[in-house]
Amino acid sequence: MSKSSEDCHVVEGKLALPYQYFAGRTGSRFLISLRDEKKIMGIRCETCDTVFVPPRQTCERCFSDISDNWVALGNKGTVTGYTIIRYEEPHQPVKPPYILAQIKLDGADTPITHIIKGMPLSKIKTGARVKAIFAKKPTSSIRDIEYFRPSDDRPAFELGYTYDELEVGMSASFTKTISESDVYLFAGISGDFNPMHLNEEFAKLTPFGTRIAHGALPQSLIAPVLGMKLPGLGTVIPEITVRFRKPTYFGDTITATGEIIEMIEKRRWVRMELRWTNQKEELVAEGSCLAIPPMPMGK
Amino acid sequence: MARKVGICAVAQTNWERDRWQDRFQGMALEVVESLQAQTGLTFTRHEPGEGIDMSVSVSDDVFDARTISDNAMTDVLGAHFGCEEKVAQEGIQAIYYGLAAIASGHHDIVLVLGHCKESQGKSRNMVTHLAFDPFYTRPVGMDFCAAAGLQAMAYGEKSNLTDEHLARIVVRARENAAKNPHTSGLETVTEKQVLESKMLADPIRELHAYPVSDGAVGMILAAEDIAKKITDKPVWIKGVGNCMDSFFLGDRDLTANVALRKAAERAYGRAGINNPAKELDLFEVSDQYAYQLPMWMEGLGLFDESRGAAWLDEGGPEKMNVNPSGGMLAGNALLLGGLVRAAEATLQLKGEAGDRQAGHPKTALAHGVMGPAGQFHSVVILEQG
């Protein structure tokens, strides 16, 4: 037979058939609760101790009828696998590139396949936490979850170190330059309008020869260390002692440092050594405190 | 006692990217005529053992864009007024049909013939998209390439496969393809070209995917006594096994090869194979995507779990004679990969594989896969007669 392509004719065609797929009773219930209640349901096989999603009437493993064992699943889940779709096809739900992932919803044992948006492609990894974003207009399919997006499961506040996380030798510090306005504000806050802090002419007559900051002003710089760094948020300070060594002049830069020197096991408190130094590395003040590290909150 | 079944002849067309000027019937006819020329068989059915008495075709309604796709083939298959069957599964299943028909004594000589023109559809991915359910997986855009991406990422992480490992698999496949006259239209590539080819579904690159392919493949199966009359070099089917995994990807462990392990176990058991790495001389596996070469070999039990990268580094594919034909990466149509693998393994066992002949194998394994991310696997064990 001739191998020439002369007189070869190609007819353009298209397979297209409007069609209605019955979702089955089990599938219908899943899709309806997704559409009307924004609830994602799974089905549990007691014998296999497995919560399946998408749901099915019969367990494929043990053939038990599981159609009545509905369980509500969380709207959040964990990524157990993923790829990034970069080729383009008409059947895709969104324009590539996009993340396609296996997502195990909280309470389910089998992950579902879905897309993730709102996450840089390079940041996707197994273990990522995501949450379902429901479609505004119903689709009556799994796309009633329009997509998943990253879920920030971190608590609103990150508590500091608990007693068990602390150890002797851990330290933290905070540094700030003490300005004239700091001193004037502190005078207002404390009611201490002593002219040695506010009146240069008077201050010239004192042993310091110029205005100095209130002693408690540099001392207060240890508060952000203890309360926000070490041990950190949630800490209570039942006792603090300070001995002042040198004055703090206007413009001095003070570093307040706390270091854990003792673990008080009986009370689960810690003892910390405190030091305040200036820009010349001179010791401005020293002391110690007891700190009660944060306890889990909200329970 | 079941009868022993032999492969008496195999034939295939050249595999090309777009055989637009060929009807699929024409491609199939080329194969049927070659098989008839090799065996001298006709389609007479009056006397048992006289001619082909059953025809099993392999095709897919969606790829052919017509329902009952075998209906367009009956004249080519010589099946009018005869026993005709169609396999819409992986083509290697047609060997299982033929084996069952002959082993049971229902038939003596079976023609198996698969054909596909992947080029005719606008997109192969649009075809495989239809393999998914319309409620849960089609709406999120699933197709076989997307499913393979999910599996490749998971398996690659578990087995430490790098982009370079995958590139070397493609380079080797194309080098082997160049030695195979049926796939020689496919260009060889360098590692760099593979590494620079565009990403489809991470970590799968364009060159990691088997090329769109048009072609046909077939074989003649016969009962032992007849096979010996037809050819002096029959290849015996020693064992066949298959296994279907769960449909939903989430119900499976995508990296564990559960279905392939079971399919292999069944085939090995029937063929009496205890140590496949020692007892099998050659492997033809359906690597639709590069990552599948080590993954399927692992699933066939030829090296320990998660050792895919190490096996490649040790030169496993060469040492074990894996895919001297170039494999599916050399370009066979989706549903015919396994059937071509069996045809290639047969040629190797007959010592008729030409430039791609890999020594003198006595036993070989052919593997076929279908469904998303290796849902369904078939394993066929063949032995030189």
Side-chain angles (χ1 to χ4, degrees):
Chain A
M1 215 194 326
S2 163
K3 288 278 169 194
S4 148
S5 53
E6 237 175 89
D7 291 335
C8 287
H9 183 60
V10 172
V11 175
E12 294 292 331
K14 185 176 185 175
L15 278 188
L17 174 66
Y19 202 84
Q20 287 189 320
Y21 293 100
F22 174 49
R25 287 178 198 281
T26 305
S28 295
R29 179 149 178 209
F30 174 84
L31 293 169
I32 290 167
S33 66
L34 191 60
R35 182 191 66 192
D36 296 348
E37 299 169 64
K38 302 205 182 315
K39 253 169 77 179
I40 312 171
M41 304 292 286
I43 278 191
R44 180 182 172 80
C45 175
E46 297 291 345
T47 316
C48 301
D49 192 21
T50 301
V51 175
F52 292 102
V53 57
R56 67 274 333 246
Q57 185 179 327
T58 305
C59 176
E60 65 173 18
R61 301 176 191 179
C62 69
F63 301 105
S64 307
D65 183 341
I66 54 175
S67 54
D68 291 329
N69 306 346
W70 290 95
V71 286
L73 305 175
N75 291 351
K76 292 183 181 176
T78 305
V79 172
T80 62
Y82 64 92
T83 183
I84 298 165
I85 301 296
R86 299 179 193 268
Y87 61 95
E88 196 165 349
E89 293 289 356
H91 55 256
Q92 290 167 343
V94 292
K95 197 171 164 56
Y98 60 88
I99 298 166
L100 184 73
Q102 293 295 95
I103 298 162
K104 187 147 87 175
L105 292 161
D106 294 345
D109 290 305
T110 63
I112 57 168
T113 307
H114 219 297
I115 56 175
I116 295 176
K117 287 165 73 172
M119 179 186 275
L121 298 180
S122 59
K123 294 290 177 208
I124 179 69
K125 58 176 194 289
T126 299
R129 293 283 295 166
V130 291
K131 67 175 174 195
I133 302 298
F134 292 94
K136 292 197 177 70
K137 285 184 186 166
T139 66
S140 291
S141 80
I142 195 72
R143 280 305 299 289
D144 276 1
I145 300 169
E146 192 174 353
Y147 57 90
F148 281 80
R149 57 167 294 119
S151 155
D152 196 347
D153 282 350
R154 278 179 307 179
F157 304 104
E158 282 200 58
L159 291 183
Y161 296 103
T162 62
Y163 180 83
D164 293 321
E165 291 168 323
L166 292 167
E167 56 183 276
V168 170
M170 286 170 78
S171 71
S173 60
F174 175 72
T175 301
K176 184 179 186 302
T177 301
I178 304 296
S179 70
E180 184 175 2
S181 59
D182 287 332
V183 175
Y184 276 70
L185 286 169
F186 199 80
I189 291 163
S190 62
D192 181 357
F193 294 101
N194 188 328
M196 69 184 294
H197 304 306
L198 309 175
N199 183 330
E200 183 61 23
E201 294 308 314
F202 173 82
K204 282 178 186 168
L205 306 174
T206 68
F208 307 113
T210 184
R211 284 173 292 171
I212 62 167
H214 303 78
L217 177 50
Q219 187 205 334
S220 68
L221 300 186
I222 199 68
V225 174
L226 303 175
M228 293 168 68
K229 291 186 171 180
L230 186 76
L233 218 56
T235 300
V236 174
I237 304 295
E239 177 190 302
I240 184 162
T241 59
V242 186
R243 184 181 178 92
F244 296 101
R245 292 294 184 186
K246 274 191 180 301
T248 296
Y249 298 103
F250 292 18
D252 275 4
T253 298
I254 303 298
T255 297
T257 304
E259 179 180 332
I260 294 172
I261 54 169
E262 186 188 348
M263 307 296 292
I264 305 169
E265 187 63 46
K266 190 176 164 193
R267 309 179 83 159
R268 293 177 67 80
W269 292 7
V270 294
R271 188 180 303 283
M272 297 178 69
E273 181 187 85
L274 311 177
R275 290 164 60 82
W276 290 260
T277 53
N278 63 22
Q279 70 279 7
K280 294 179 216 162
E281 308 262 321
E282 293 167 337
L283 189 65
V284 173
E286 61 186 333
S288 70
C289 74
L290 288 171
I292 307 172
M295 312 280 278
M297 283 201 305
K299 284 178 186 167
Chain B
M1 182 72 190
R3 295 198 290 176
K4 194 166 158 181
V5 178
I7 299 174
C8 304
V10 300
Q12 59 188 307
T13 63
N14 287 353
W15 298 91
E16 294 172 20
R17 307 292 77 78
D18 187 359
R19 297 179 62 133
W20 71 271
Q21 72 285 20
D22 291 319
R23 297 174 77 210
F24 58 72
Q25 294 91 337
M27 299 189 314
L29 188 62
E30 189 183 323
V31 171
V32 173
E33 286 176 347
S34 166
L35 293 172
Q36 287 190 297
Q38 291 178 56
T39 58
L41 290 170
T42 64
F43 290 98
T44 48
R45 307 172 189 87
H46 304 296
E47 295 296 327
E50 221 177 61
I52 296 164
D53 59 357
M54 180 185 188
S55 301
V56 185
S57 68
V58 181
S59 61
D60 180 272
D61 288 4
V62 182
F63 271 118
D64 289 0
R66 64 178 80 199
T67 185
I68 322 178
S69 53
D70 50 328
N71 227 347
M73 286 292 295
T74 37
D75 49 354
V76 179
L77 291 166
H80 284 300
F81 313 111
C83 172
E84 191 261 1
E85 265 291 348
K86 171 190 156 181
V87 167
Q89 247 294 8
E90 219 299 322
I92 205 166
Q93 286 305 109
I95 297 178
Y96 213 156
Y97 274 44
L99 173 78
I102 297 168
S104 65
H106 280 57
H107 294 279
D108 296 315
I109 304 175
V110 175
L111 165 69
V112 167
L113 198 143
H115 61 91
C116 188
K117 286 184 74 178
E118 287 189 333
S119 68
Q120 290 193 160
K122 184 180 177 192
S123 148
R124 188 168 60 191
N125 294 327
M126 286 170 76
V127 174
T128 60
H129 174 63
L130 295 176
F132 289 86
D133 78 86
F135 314 106
Y136 311 111
T137 47
R138 268 193 224 170
V140 295
M142 288 301 281
D143 56 40
F144 284 7
C145 186
L150 289 168
Q151 184 172 54
M153 185 65 80
Y155 180 74
E157 278 179 7
K158 182 181 169 190
S159 306
N160 301 313
L161 289 185
T162 63
D163 208 10
E164 286 74 18
H165 283 119
L166 297 174
R168 289 196 285 271
I169 290 169
V170 177
V171 170
R172 177 178 177 271
R174 298 245 177 159
E175 280 168 3
N176 285 352
K179 294 181 221 160
N180 180 345
H182 303 291
T183 54
S184 55
L186 197 64
E187 285 175 8
T188 56
V189 291
T190 62
E191 197 172 318
K192 187 162 175 285
Q193 275 175 295
V194 182
L195 290 170
E196 287 172 357
S197 77
K198 76 176 186 202
M199 205 59 103
L200 295 177
D202 301 24
I204 296 176
R205 293 181 182 279
E206 196 164 37
L207 285 172
H208 295 172
Y210 74 108
V212 167
S213 304
D214 294 350
V217 58
M219 54 180 64
I220 297 286
L221 310 180
E224 181 176 13
D225 51 333
I226 299 168
K228 284 177 175 164
K229 282 183 207 154
I230 295 173
T231 173
D232 51 5
K233 284 196 272 188
V235 166
W236 305 117
I237 301 169
K238 298 292 287 180
V240 181
N242 71 27
C243 183
M244 178 70 83
D245 208 334
S246 301
F247 168 71
F248 291 115
L249 300 189
D251 292 358
R252 306 187 220 161
D253 178 343
L254 287 181
T255 66
N257 271 315
V258 171
L260 179 52
R261 284 183 191 282
K262 283 218 183 324
E265 193 183 298
R266 289 165 189 165
Y268 294 157
R270 288 160 190 160
I273 286 176
N274 300 311
N275 185 341
K278 281 220 172 95
E279 294 172 56
L280 294 167
D281 302 329
L282 184 133
F283 300 85
E284 280 283 342
V285 297
S286 291
D287 47 352
Q288 296 165 351
Y289 299 93
Y291 78 91
Q292 295 181 347
L293 185 87
M295 183 164 174
W296 300 159
M297 288 297 282
E298 180 182 313
L300 289 167
L302 298 162
F303 54 82
D304 290 342
E305 204 171 327
S306 308
R307 281 200 75 253
W311 177 74
L312 290 167
D313 291 339
E314 290 157 7
E318 280 304 312
K319 284 184 191 161
M320 289 189 175
N321 287 327
V322 185
N323 290 2
S325 66
M328 228 174 135
L329 288 174
N332 308 128
L334 181 65
L335 64 157
L336 303 180
L339 189 53
V340 179
R341 304 278 71 72
E344 285 289 335
T346 301
L347 290 174
Q348 292 283 347
L349 294 172
K350 286 157 78 92
E352 293 173 2
D355 290 346
R356 61 192 186 286
Q357 182 69 41
H360 307 283
K362 299 270 183 287
T363 54
L365 179 151
H367 157 260
V369 61
M370 183 53 74
Q375 186 189 2
F376 177 79
H377 290 272
S378 296
V379 173
V380 175
I381 307 295
L382 300 171
E383 185 184 69
Q384 190 182 63

